[in-house]
Amino acid sequence: MASILDGKAISAKVRAEVQARAAAFTSAHGRPPALHVVLVGDDPASKVYVASKEKAAAKAGIAGKVHRLPAETTQDTLEALVGELNADPSIDGILVQLPLPKHLDAQAVLDRVDPSKDVDGLTPMSAGLLLDGRPGLRPCTPSGCMRLLLEAGLDDLSGKHALVIGRSLLVGKSIAVMLLAKNATVTIAHSRTADLAAECARADVVVAAVGRPELVKGSWLKEGAIVLDVGINRRDDGTLVGDVDFEGASARASWITPVPGGVGPMTIALLLENTVIAAERREG
Ligand code: NAD
């Protein structure tokens, strides 16, 4: 039976560390680190995520504001707001909550974010620094996954095969680079991959970041695999389920993240950590 990679417990530890760093920053610089979040429209899931981020930031001693804009906001208005947040020296982190309403060009908005304030790690500069293995602000969800491995003593991946399912910059591509940096031999699978089960069968680490409920079956996994389930899917009855069949996978894996209570809480904790890192760097 697999051991649980407990995102709730580990994220609490990370948040406590962040809180101490935020307090030290505040006494050194006479102001707290500040995170500004931009939320456009009424996407229900985004509203919930933003409310959790707002609450967690306040608890950690991070100041800030949520800019709630109507769904019909224009590209120009949104980019102008990002420009204002870039120019305000008291703001350390800017997060534009995705997805944006369909009429908006998300990439163009992200391109406007000052890389020194890019706490979501999604600007081209942040992506380039990650790819090159240089210090920078990393996307929060893949960083959260890597922290789970680190805290469980599972982060030396020399000689291991890692399979990442999904190729978004937000998760799949970024965690593939992070796993590579830990010396894993990495395969990236996606919607055009021919035989996902066969790819899973040789993976010591499986990261599922797809958005398909229980796509990955327990029987596909190698005995003793480490499973990081990033997927968040809502069932008709309102409950959440990951991209991995948790019950089946638990019988074969050595370690597994639950959904909820696995990767999700880590994402928020790493966002707070990124904000403090950005604040510390910006103050030199
Ligand atoms: P995305 O839609 O951008 O990417 C999904 C990827 O899955 C694509 O690259 C696609 O090629 C691949 N894919 C689709 N169908 C496939 C199939 N049948 N077999 C193999 N690959 C397939 O999504 P995303 O933004 O990367 O998010 C993925 C999931 O992770 C979603 O469920 C999302 O809600 C969740 N997520 C969770 C957190 C968290 O904090 N836990 C954060 C971000 C995203």
Side-chain angles (χ1 to χ4, degrees):
M1 202 60 190
S3 303
I4 296 293
L5 283 164
D6 185 347
K8 255 186 166 170
I10 297 173
S11 68
K13 182 181 170 200
V14 175
R15 281 190 280 114
E17 288 165 11
V18 169
Q19 191 171 357
R21 272 170 87 171
F25 178 91
T26 305
S27 52
H29 301 287
R31 67 168 186 91
L35 169 66
H36 282 231
V37 176
V38 181
L39 174 63
V40 186
D42 302 308
D43 181 74
S46 292
K47 278 176 153 174
V48 173
Y49 293 145
V50 167
S52 313
K53 288 168 185 173
E54 197 177 13
K55 203 169 134 197
K59 259 180 131 174
I62 292 172
K65 183 173 169 182
V66 178
H67 301 260
R68 293 185 168 83
L69 306 182
E72 58 276 12
T73 298
T74 64
Q75 186 79 23
D76 284 351
T77 304
L78 183 54
E79 290 191 27
L81 172 60
V82 171
E84 282 169 31
L85 303 180
N86 284 342
D88 184 338
S90 71
I91 296 174
D92 303 294
I94 301 169
L95 183 147
V96 180
Q97 183 67 38
L98 301 175
L100 291 173
K102 289 212 161 36
H103 68 282
L104 294 170
D105 178 349
Q107 194 56 63
V109 176
L110 293 177
D111 284 355
R112 290 283 305 234
V113 174
D114 177 342
S116 76
K117 302 186 179 189
D118 176 24
V119 288
D120 226 4
L122 295 177
T123 62
M125 175 67 88
S126 299
L129 293 172
L130 167 63
L131 193 59
D132 207 21
R134 288 156 61 187
L137 294 165
R138 306 294 198 231
C140 306
T141 300
S143 294
C145 291
M146 297 309 290
R147 182 66 67 88
L148 286 173
L149 294 179
L150 177 76
E151 294 288 337
L154 302 170
D155 63 317
D156 179 4
L157 299 176
S158 306
K160 307 278 189 207
H161 280 275
L163 173 69
V164 178
I165 315 174
R167 56 177 160 181
S168 68
L169 179 64
L170 187 65
V171 191
K173 265 185 216 162
S174 297
I175 198 164
V177 175
M178 293 177 187
L179 291 163
L180 189 60
K182 291 290 177 187
N183 299 315
T185 301
V186 182
T187 301
I188 304 179
H190 45 76
S191 53
R192 308 290 176 92
T193 294
D195 188 348
L196 195 54
E199 299 296 343
C200 279
R202 62 193 175 93
D204 302 294
V205 179
V206 175
V207 181
V210 180
R212 300 274 154 100
E214 299 180 325
L215 171 77
V216 177
K217 310 299 171 211
S219 59
W220 293 2
L221 296 172
K222 181 172 173 178
E223 198 71 46
I226 298 165
V227 178
L228 298 166
D229 189 353
V230 179
I232 301 177
N233 309 288
R234 197 166 287 279
R235 287 200 192 96
D236 290 341
D237 65 3
T239 56
L240 296 180
V241 63
D243 288 345
V244 178
D245 158 28
F246 182 81
E247 225 180 282
S250 297
R252 287 177 84 95
S254 57
W255 292 88
I256 190 166
T257 57
V259 177
V263 176
M266 296 302 293
T267 297
I268 295 186
L270 272 286
L271 168 67
L272 303 179
E273 188 180 79
N274 269 354
T275 304
V276 173
I277 291 171
E280 289 168 351
R281 287 198 186 134
R282 293 185 61 259
E283 293 288 351

